[in-house]
């Protein structure tokens, strides 16, 4: 497995921290390595829908961001990515605690990348699973 340049990792984390949307959802990029990433959200009232459970959009955003960064670790510096497809399976609700999302890149080609992520609670219970297709720009 390849290792990432520590300076690149620091630069990626700085870019992450400047995103207003990721900040709005309180997402934290807690690990980034070759073809994988880990993102966590400490749940708060702002993440809940009217029935008192985490809104599906939070799961989607978490999966999208985690998958994106897993694929992005494999791209050359001059390449950008954008998500062109997102698929999510909701498997169990969450109300409190921390969401932990583990993403991994499955394939990166010259025009498309594929990644998957699993969202778990702090005890490791699977809450959601998703995939993204990312277009290489």
């Amino acid at each position: 497995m390849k290792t990432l340049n520590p300076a690149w990792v620091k630069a990626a984390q700085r870019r992450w921290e400047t995103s207003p949307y990721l900040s709005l959802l309180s997402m934290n990029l807690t690990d980034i390595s070759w073809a994988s990433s880990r993102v966590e959200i400490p749940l708060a009232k702002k993440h809940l829908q009217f029935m008192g459970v985490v809104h599906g959009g939070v799961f989607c955003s978490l999966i999208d961001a985690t998958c994106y960064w897993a694929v992005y670790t494999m791209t050359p510096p001059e390449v950008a990515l954008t998500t062109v497809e997102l698929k999510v399976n909701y498997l169990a609700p969450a109300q409190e605690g921390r969401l932990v999302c583990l993403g991994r890149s499955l394939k990166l080609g010259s025009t498309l990348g594929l990644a998957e992520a699993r969202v778990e609670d702090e005890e490791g219970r699977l809450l959601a699973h998703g995939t993204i297709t990312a277009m290489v720009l």
Side-chain angles (χ1 to χ4, degrees), residues 30-135:
T30 59
D31 186 46
I32 189 168
S33 56
W34 182 258
S36 70
S37 65
R38 178 184 172 118
V39 178
E40 298 183 15
I41 295 178
L43 291 176
K45 189 173 182 174
K46 69 181 177 182
H47 298 109
L48 307 180
Q49 42 95 310
F50 71 95
M51 293 181 65
V53 296
V54 174
H55 191 283
V58 174
F59 285 106
C60 282
S61 294
L62 184 56
I63 288 168
D64 187 33
T66 306
C67 284
Y68 174 92
W69 283 94
V71 174
Y72 190 70
T73 64
M74 301 173 67
T75 64
E78 68 278 2
V79 168
L81 299 170
T82 189
T83 301
V84 294
E85 181 184 42
L86 171 67
K87 162 102 173 52
V88 176
N89 292 101
Y90 303 102
L91 304 170
Q95 294 177 299
E96 58 187 17
R98 178 178 299 276
L99 297 181
V100 177
C101 191
L102 308 166
R104 69 184 180 113
S105 178
L106 300 174
K107 180 172 182 7
L108 177 63
S110 59
T111 58
L112 296 173
L114 177 67
E116 70 174 349
R118 49 185 297 127
V119 181
E120 302 173 349
D121 63 14
E122 293 170 299
E123 287 75 43
R125 183 174 64 124
L126 184 61
L127 305 175
H129 178 270
T131 60
I132 72 159
T133 303
M135 182 170 59

